[in-house]
């Protein structure tokens, strides 16, 4: 899990197919393997960039939260091309929340869900 004190955190989210099923992996800004989980100690933005290695035209369409009303995450924004998803966390509520990326594809109208990364707020 990445522990950040800055205002910006960046991950690459690579999706590949294994036996027809999407497999997600995460790397940090330096290309090091990561879990996608983030521990936040001050307000900031977490940016996830999609790298589609499936050939299925995947795009971010949102993030689904297990507990969307807990106040941990304040907002989610998407780039127009669906390649970037940003989570805005003002770090006002202590606790953690799990979510899944929701992706569309160019093959059919079904959605793809990721395994659930986690945002953990621990204000200073």
């Amino acid at each position: 899990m990445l522990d950040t004190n800055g205002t910006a955190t960046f991950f690459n989210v690579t999706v590949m197919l294994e036996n027809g099923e999407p497999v997600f992996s995460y790397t940090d800004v330096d290309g090091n393997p990561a879990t996608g989980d983030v521990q936040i100690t001050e307000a900031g933005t977490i940016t996830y960039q999609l790298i589609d290695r499936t050939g299925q035209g995947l795009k971010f369409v949102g993030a689904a939260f297990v507990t969307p009303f807990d106040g941990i995450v304040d907002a989610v924004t998407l780039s127009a091309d669906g390649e970037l998803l940003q989570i805005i966390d003002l770090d006002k509520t202590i606790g953690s929340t799990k979510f899944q990326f929701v992706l569309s594809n160019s093959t059919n109208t079904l959605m793809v869900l990721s395994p659930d990364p986690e945002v953990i707020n621990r204000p200073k």
Side-chain angles (χ1 to χ4, degrees), residues 1-117:
M1 174 185 343
L2 187 64
D3 184 359
T4 182
N5 293 323
T7 58
T9 305
F10 181 86
F11 290 102
N12 288 309
V13 179
T14 302
V15 186
M16 298 180 290
L17 290 178
E18 288 184 11
N19 299 319
E21 293 187 24
V23 175
F24 288 74
S25 63
Y26 301 89
T27 55
D28 64 18
V29 70
D30 297 320
N32 299 311
T35 64
D37 294 350
V38 181
Q39 183 169 297
I40 300 292
T41 57
E42 65 185 52
T45 301
I46 308 159
T47 301
Y48 295 91
Q49 179 173 351
L50 179 63
I51 301 171
D52 178 15
R53 301 264 192 256
T54 67
Q56 303 300 315
L58 297 180
K59 301 286 182 202
F60 284 130
V61 294
F65 288 79
V66 174
T67 54
F69 309 112
D70 60 12
I72 304 295
V73 167
D74 298 287
V76 173
T77 62
L78 295 166
S79 63
D81 62 6
E83 291 182 11
L84 294 174
L85 182 141
Q86 291 187 310
I87 293 178
I88 292 88
D89 184 347
L90 300 177
D91 197 34
K92 292 183 177 180
T93 304
I94 295 173
S96 64
T97 192
K98 291 183 181 268
F99 65 95
Q100 292 178 281
F101 296 115
V102 181
L103 298 92
S104 65
N105 70 82
S106 60
T107 305
N108 57 44
T109 59
L110 304 179
M111 299 292 167
V112 176
L113 292 176
S114 71
D116 52 344

